[in-house]
Amino acid sequence: MNVMNSHGPIHRQRRRRPLCRNPFYLQELGLAQPGSFQKRFLSSRLLSIVLDPTTSVSREHAGAVNTVDIEEAEGRYLLSGGGDGNIHLYDLDVSEREERRVIHSMADAHGSYGAHKGGISRVRWYPFDNGMFTSSSFDSSIKVWDTNTMEVACTFDLNNKVYSHAMSSKATHGLIAAASADPRIRLCDLRTGAFTHSLAGHRGTVLTIEWSPRHEYLLASGSTDTTIRLWDIRKSTSCLCSLDLHNSNSPPLAETNSAHTRTVNGLNFTPDGLHLISVGHDDKMRLWNIYTGQNTLTNYGTLMRNQFVNNLTPLISPLSVFGGSPSYVFQPSDDRSILMFDLLDGSLVKRLKGSYGRVIALAWRPRTQEIYSAGNDHDILVWAPKSSNQDTAIRAIADQDTWSDSD
Amino acid sequence: MAMNLEARETLSNLILAITKTGDLYLDPEQVKQVKAICKKSDVNVKTAYDLLLIQLQRKHAQIRYSSTQLIAELFQRSHVFRELLVADFSVFLQLTVGIHQNTLPPPILFAEKTKQLAISLTNEWNGKYGAVYKQIALGYEFLRYHLKVDFTNLVPVTEEARSAEQRAQEELSKRIRQRKFEKAAAELEDQSDAIQENLKRMDSCFDILVPKLDDDATLQSIFQTSSESVDGDDDDDDGDGGDEQDGQDDGGVELDDIENENEMNEALIRHDPMGIYDNALGSSRYKLTIEVNKDNPVDVHESEDNSELFATLRECYRLIVKKHWPLVMDWLDAFMKADADSGVQRAEYDRLLKLAINLKKDVADAKSKCEDLGVNMDTMYGPHEQDSDEDDADFEEVQIQEKASDKKKGKLPKYKAPISEPKKPKNAVFAMHGAEVLPDDPTYVGGTRITPARAVAISSPSPQSEQASSSRAASEVSTPPAEGEESREVLLARAPVIPWDDDLAVWDKKEMAFNTSGLEFSHRFLGVGDGSNLVSQATLDRMKMRTTIYTPELPAVIKACRYPMSNGRLCMRRDLVRCPYHGPVVPRDEYGQIQRPEDEGGFVPEEKDMLNDEQEAELIQRAIAAASSSPSSRAPKDKSTWEDIEDDVHLALGLEKIEPKRKRGAGGSSSKKKTKPPSALVNINKKPDSSRVRLLRHMASRATRGSVEEDQRIAKSEQSRDTNIHRWTK
């Protein structure tokens, strides 16, 4: 023990002080971890994220944009669903080399047979390819769309307002979990086009629902009854536990358990599936450990404002795969800004201001580290890391001070 | 990043002072100081931004307005300030435009102004920085799309935008001029031949019609005619006389060159309005003047022989008047306005200009020649007034007069009515009250001129018509024609000519009978004579008075105020002495700065020259003197306009200022008010004086309350008395 203590620092010192500090050289020598280089670069880019002055998405929706999603297969196509009941599809790579580009909608669901009659609450790409996407709407239906023809392939009628739905990116079961005004969670089977079974347990409207990216049958849902429930859909008594913010020793399904003091309207798993983050109308964000089902008691501060009854999913930057690196969570706030927190220690990193509408949904584009935000000002905004190769001529005008000599 | 505390302190004080004045315009001196401090370091800019944002959040529109103006100043200058403001741009718009369900605080007027200013600023900033600062572009879009703000026709508020607009305007007008020039040049090239052709045609007509003076034979013939005309039988001479008379009757409309002749003729006409002297030569005391007939100086008349020529001339004249003349003038106009700068163009430009000037001269020549020949605007569609030579033989005298009147008619374009042109007095002492409406009055005959035709119909100068004509010229009413001509002329020269009024009927009467018969001793209106048939002296004196209504003569050109306003324009108000917004009207240069500010008070001479109006100059001088002694006009006072100029008027008229009656015990408070720092901030805490508030105040007053209680008491006692009355008592 003594020896270890005396030698440890020396040993570490030698390891930590290589001859050269050039990261390229370090990587070449194999001294740096494989992911560290990428991690370093990405985190510096993330920290410099601002409203992208050169890219804009044209305003297509006639109402608030309720949801946006970018497919994972290529990271190229963006779906947006609006309060006007329309769904638009954008190609984000279009005219990428242009100095000042505007991304126009390449297709929309307007006028197609069987389109939604109410506002869209959530659109989601099929996790495995971009030939299909699903949408849920306040007209109490979930529809499955063929992307190429922009036509409805299948409709599930739930008889209640649908606030959200989810498909597992892991599983092969092809089930869509639907969160609706009905306290029961309905599972829609894509293979048969019918409902399989319902998960009963909530006592209020279910506003948010997510599949775990690690376990294919694990489902998490949040409701107006202030609880977050974890489900194993295979079990007959399917509810595993209801999360408790006080970490009390009560049984996992106790009535007294509540995850927030008020309605829970946002849930998201970290990409590794080890943690769950939740937001509620008590203006709080909480981080839960999925293995223990305990509140990690991370304090995200009191800056967040969240009072609207809609699905408001926090966005987690998928950086945690590089182990130990800081990963960030982006959470829209009702004061028209997006708050960027450090996921694990809860400190506010940055506040993204600039939107003129309340931000309702966020989408992450991994390839370029861009965030697309949808707001109730009918706009989709692009937030991108500050690039160095901006239009320097215009920049110069803005950068110069023009004090007149007489002053 | 330690900031100089002193600088911070001054900055804070300055910004507070600037934003709390509540004025429409910032004090340039203070703004300059703020800029000087901010220029020193970026930390100061940051401090200024923080302070301004605090001020912007105050719940008072005037403070917000001033803050917005100052923000605009700094935004334009500092990059750091721009970065800071852009980061909070939605907050800025919330506080100034009131987006996101924010309402602007009272007073409403300033809230509206703040909103307009912020919208204009957003528009301009978007134009300049929108590409770099996405928030500004988004804010602009938000205002346009969600608030439906109309960004067109905004008044530029920042200097840069103003100058840019000016430049664009100049560019545009220059381009328009250039285009006009090119068009005119093309037209000139195109049409000059046609015009020349027309002119040539006319020239040949002139050659035929008008004898050339270099020809002996024609000269001879001309002299012969003129010798004939001495005999007084000739048309020309007679027409001349008639013409002369016309000129006199016009009362100075036409200017005659020789004064002596003028008067002599006038006298002649007075005695003989019908022109007996001219025609019948009734007296040997006459003088013949031969003048070239203005209407027909070349003495060429249309006849059967030359009717073809005249027809051609008319046609050409029509062409000239209708088409060529305006065209040529347009070209000239375009050439004059266009500015040729490059060398190659210069030569071309000069050539075209020369060509156009020559053309204009030629066309004008031809036109005037035509008019000399009697082809003018009225006769260019053919001789609608026949010369009627056959009448000449029968009634020669009559014909002369008529002809004269015909020609007169020809001179007045589009005025076909032969009579009823009101006669204006030559040197009027008093303009007659309501003179301009009189001609419309059917009962009014005073100013109308009796036409010679009518006079002829009357056949002889009867005393009645004499009287009618004499009533116009008041000076000759009682002057008998038997008096010496010379003395009469001298008198006439001295005599004032005043318009007709009732007093002229009696102005020279020492006494007046009640009626012509001399039998009446009283009159309904003129009263009772004191024992005689004469009107009493007092009444007669009263009858000699006349009422005139003085209308102050306004200067022809009222100067604009030209105070530089916040929107970059100059104040367009035209006031005699003082602009209600910007104080006394003083001469200013093109930027609206007061000329020669060092002697602002004593300045006038240039003004005097320009205005050419002694009275007004004096007035202005007085006003300026008054203004220089009064406090600066910058700070708008909460006074109504008449109170605003009251002091000046009193000073100008040399009157003492009327002190308003002080309320009891208000003496101290008024002096206290003066010592308070001047601020135009409106007290927004004061509740508006609504009818409800007034009623409540009335209800709460002690007197009202007392009377209500009294009423209740009386009602109660009456009720009890009634119950007592109706109670059955045993």
Side-chain angles (χ1 to χ4, degrees), chain A residues 102-401:
Chain A
V102 179
I103 300 167
H104 292 283
S105 160
M106 58 189 286
D108 65 81
H110 182 72
S112 63
Y113 178 76
H116 283 293
K117 291 180 177 66
I120 310 287
S121 58
R122 192 84 195 247
V123 285
R124 291 200 127 165
W125 284 101
Y126 183 58
F128 306 108
D129 68 56
N130 51 24
M132 182 165 90
F133 65 90
T134 54
S135 68
S136 59
S137 160
F138 295 120
D139 66 0
S140 69
S141 69
I142 290 176
K143 289 183 197 286
V144 183
W145 297 76
D146 181 347
T147 317
N148 292 314
T149 57
M150 270 319 243
E151 271 172 7
V152 179
C154 177
T155 302
F156 298 95
D157 198 354
L158 284 101
N159 301 319
N160 281 299
K161 268 187 180 177
V162 189
Y163 286 98
S164 184
H165 68 282
M167 281 193 78
S168 172
S169 59
K170 174 95 181 153
T172 49
H173 51 61
L175 287 176
I176 303 171
S180 66
D182 185 0
R184 291 172 305 163
I185 296 166
R186 309 284 294 273
L187 294 174
C188 320
D189 194 346
L190 272 182
R191 291 182 195 150
T192 59
F195 301 104
T196 52
H197 59 284
S198 308
L199 309 174
H202 279 299
R203 286 161 189 278
T205 300
V206 186
L207 284 176
T208 174
I209 195 156
E210 289 294 331
W211 290 95
S212 160
R214 180 166 280 231
H215 306 284
E216 57 179 313
Y217 300 110
L218 184 65
L219 185 69
S221 67
S223 155
T224 53
D225 64 2
T226 72
T227 61
I228 296 172
R229 284 171 190 267
L230 299 179
W231 314 82
D232 185 339
I233 57 164
R234 294 166 298 184
K235 284 187 168 181
S236 53
T237 54
S238 42
C239 192
L240 292 173
C241 70
S242 167
L243 300 177
D244 184 30
L245 79 144
H246 299 300
N247 290 337
S248 58
N249 292 322
S250 56
L253 286 172
E255 289 289 318
T256 53
N257 286 358
S258 69
H260 284 264
T261 52
R262 295 179 67 190
T263 300
V264 181
N265 67 343
L267 276 182
N268 208 353
F269 282 96
T270 54
D272 54 12
L274 295 177
H275 290 92
L276 176 75
I277 197 145
S278 70
V279 290
H281 282 183
D282 54 359
D283 295 343
K284 289 284 188 326
M285 183 147 75
R286 296 208 164 87
L287 185 69
W288 310 87
N289 188 326
I290 291 300
Y291 269 117
T292 59
Q294 300 261 304
N295 184 358
T296 59
L297 300 172
T298 312
N299 182 10
Y300 291 98
T302 53
L303 285 166
M304 204 176 75
R305 293 289 170 271
N306 175 14
Q307 295 300 332
F308 288 86
V309 182
N310 60 1
N311 183 290
L312 195 73
T313 306
L315 179 79
I316 297 168
S317 67
L319 284 185
S320 49
V321 279
F322 304 117
S325 70
S327 64
Y328 301 108
V329 56
F330 296 89
Q331 171 61 28
S333 174
D334 285 353
D335 58 7
R336 290 172 280 274
S337 62
I338 302 167
L339 303 175
M340 178 179 174
F341 295 103
D342 190 306
L343 179 72
L344 293 175
D345 69 10
S347 58
L348 179 73
V349 179
K350 200 169 181 178
R351 195 168 185 158
L352 303 178
K353 287 187 286 187
S355 170
Y356 285 85
R358 181 166 57 86
V359 180
I360 304 174
L362 297 172
W364 171 259
R365 192 181 183 204
R367 207 172 70 199
T368 53
Q369 292 85 44
E370 286 173 331
I371 293 175
Y372 288 78
S373 74
N376 68 350
D377 58 349
H378 313 184
D379 250 343
I380 298 172
L381 300 181
V382 188
W383 308 79
K386 220 180 222 167
S387 62
S388 49
N389 54 353
Q390 260 187 20
D391 191 346
T392 45
I394 304 171
R395 197 70 232 174
I397 296 172
D399 279 350
Q400 67 186 355
D401 279 357

Side-chain angles (χ1 to χ4, degrees), chain B residues 54-67:
Chain B
I54 291 169
Q55 288 303 100
L56 202 60
Q57 279 161 348
R58 293 285 172 99
K59 291 206 177 339
H60 197 297
Q62 274 172 301
I63 296 177
R64 287 195 185 182
Y65 185 63
S66 304
S67 307

Side-chain angles (χ1 to χ4, degrees), chain B residues 487-713:
Chain B
S487 69
R488 186 188 142 81
E489 271 167 31
V490 171
L491 280 175
L492 274 178
R494 276 213 316 271
V497 178
I498 55 171
W500 163 254
D501 207 349
D502 287 343
D503 63 320
L504 288 183
V506 294
W507 75 279
D508 56 341
K509 295 229 169 90
K510 299 277 184 297
E511 52 189 28
M512 192 173 96
F514 279 113
N515 68 351
T516 42
S517 65
L519 295 175
E520 295 290 332
F521 279 72
S522 66
H523 189 271
R524 273 159 79 190
F525 302 128
L526 301 178
V528 184
D530 31 348
S532 67
N533 62 347
L534 296 175
V535 179
S536 72
Q537 195 56 45
T539 315
L540 197 61
D541 285 347
R542 274 206 302 282
M543 284 170 74
K544 284 177 190 172
M545 292 177 187
R546 74 157 66 186
T547 311
T548 51
I549 291 171
Y550 170 70
T551 46
E553 205 167 295
L554 293 173
V557 181
I558 301 176
K559 300 201 77 188
C561 165
R562 293 171 56 73
Y563 180 87
M565 297 195 291
S566 67
N567 64 6
R569 309 233 158 115
L570 300 178
C571 177
M572 299 288 284
R573 272 194 69 96
R574 290 174 191 278
D575 295 280
L576 276 181
V577 178
R578 185 188 171 111
C579 172
Y581 302 111
H582 307 118
V585 180
V586 291
R588 292 170 189 275
D589 64 11
E590 56 188 312
Y591 300 109
Q593 299 300 317
I594 295 172
Q595 285 173 352
R596 307 205 323 206
E598 67 278 2
D599 52 5
E600 196 181 332
F603 177 84
V604 163
E606 282 175 32
E607 184 87 335
K608 215 173 191 171
D609 291 345
M610 265 163 68
L611 283 171
N612 213 352
D613 188 335
E614 210 100 359
Q615 253 188 333
E616 205 222 351
E618 199 178 274
L619 214 57
I620 286 171
Q621 196 168 22
R622 274 191 204 159
I624 291 166
S628 62
S629 64
S630 69
S632 81
S633 57
R634 265 200 82 75
K637 287 163 234 161
D638 279 327
K639 278 179 163 185
S640 56
T641 42
W642 71 266
E643 285 173 312
D644 214 26
I645 61 166
E646 187 191 14
D647 294 353
D648 297 342
V649 171
H650 278 300
L651 208 86
L653 297 176
L655 297 174
E656 268 181 50
K657 190 184 187 308
I658 301 167
E659 287 291 330
K661 269 186 197 167
R662 279 186 192 156
K663 283 177 193 164
R664 270 169 297 151
S669 77
S670 77
S671 67
K672 207 172 78 186
K673 229 178 219 171
K674 263 176 197 165
T675 54
K676 242 168 65 176
S679 171
L681 287 187
V682 174
N683 184 7
I684 54 170
N685 291 328
K686 208 175 96 183
K687 286 194 183 67
D689 200 19
S690 67
S691 52
R692 182 183 157 79
V693 170
R694 279 198 303 275
L695 276 175
L696 278 177
R697 210 189 302 132
H698 180 67
M699 294 294 285
S701 76
R702 187 166 300 186
T704 328
R705 220 169 17 186
S707 74
V708 169
E709 278 164 12
E710 180 80 357
D711 282 351
Q712 275 174 342
R713 204 174 48 75

Side-chain angles (χ1 to χ4, degrees), chain B residues 127-147:
Chain B
K128 195 169 176 207
Y129 303 109
V132 184
Y133 299 124
K134 181 86 174 197
Q135 278 94 334
I136 295 181
L138 284 176
Y140 176 84
E141 273 298 304
F142 183 84
L143 292 180
R144 204 169 60 88
Y145 178 76
H146 288 281
L147 269 66

